[in-house]
Amino acid sequence: MDAVAQALADPIRREILRMLRGRAAAAGSIAGAFSVSRPAVSRHLRVLREAGLVRDVQRGREREYSLDLGALAELEAFLRELREESPWYRRFDALETEVHRVGRQRRMAAATPSQNETKRRKETA
């Protein structure tokens, strides 16, 4: 997962992955899309290949690269785990609801006079 995250950290490598999303491409055509040197693009492709994000096939003198999303599975599982709501959130929400309910009951009890007080007021009036 660390190698995948490090590979995705670079904007050029992310752009290469976007290029390969729809189709395979030769190393030369990938390198032509960037203003950096061919050896630099070659290093980016090597990092992506070692992280398992791309596959390469030798086609004559050219090396053709294609996207391989299988390496993202572990990273996706980690991110999904981070996004999951903890069971404690529901418990804290329920506790907060109960605190508000009890507080409202107490305020209402304090605001409405008891039946004895109402009787006493009528008798003294």
Side-chain angles (χ1 to χ4, degrees):
M1 179 173 63
D2 292 340
V4 172
Q6 288 175 347
L8 294 173
D10 187 275
I12 291 177
R13 290 194 284 264
R14 289 193 304 268
E15 190 58 37
I16 291 171
L17 293 174
R18 284 186 189 103
M19 287 175 65
L20 296 175
R21 184 174 51 194
R23 60 175 175 73
S29 67
I30 294 171
F34 297 97
S35 60
V36 297
S37 68
R38 283 182 179 258
V41 172
S42 180
R43 285 190 295 274
H44 285 299
L45 288 168
R46 185 188 61 203
V47 169
L48 291 171
R49 187 179 65 243
E50 289 174 356
L53 292 168
V54 297
R55 281 182 265 141
D56 63 325
V57 176
Q58 189 74 33
R59 301 236 188 245
R61 292 180 41 207
E62 282 284 327
R63 192 171 290 276
E64 188 175 83
Y65 288 87
S66 60
L67 193 59
D68 184 2
L69 297 177
L72 291 176
E74 187 179 359
L75 181 60
E76 288 173 336
F78 173 73
L79 294 173
R80 199 171 25 259
E81 179 185 330
L82 286 179
R83 287 188 182 114
E84 281 180 2
E85 195 173 279
S86 167
W88 284 103
Y89 287 122
R90 284 186 299 242
R91 291 177 180 166
F92 286 133
D93 285 343
L95 177 61
E96 182 180 22
T97 301
E98 185 64 17
V99 167
H100 286 295
R101 186 184 66 76
V102 169
R104 186 178 36 230
Q105 284 177 343
R106 286 183 179 168
R107 284 191 303 276
M108 291 183 75
T112 57
S114 68
Q115 288 179 349
N116 290 340
E117 281 185 40
T118 307
K119 238 185 201 179
R120 204 172 333 135
R121 284 184 189 160
K122 285 182 183 178
E123 291 172 355
T124 58

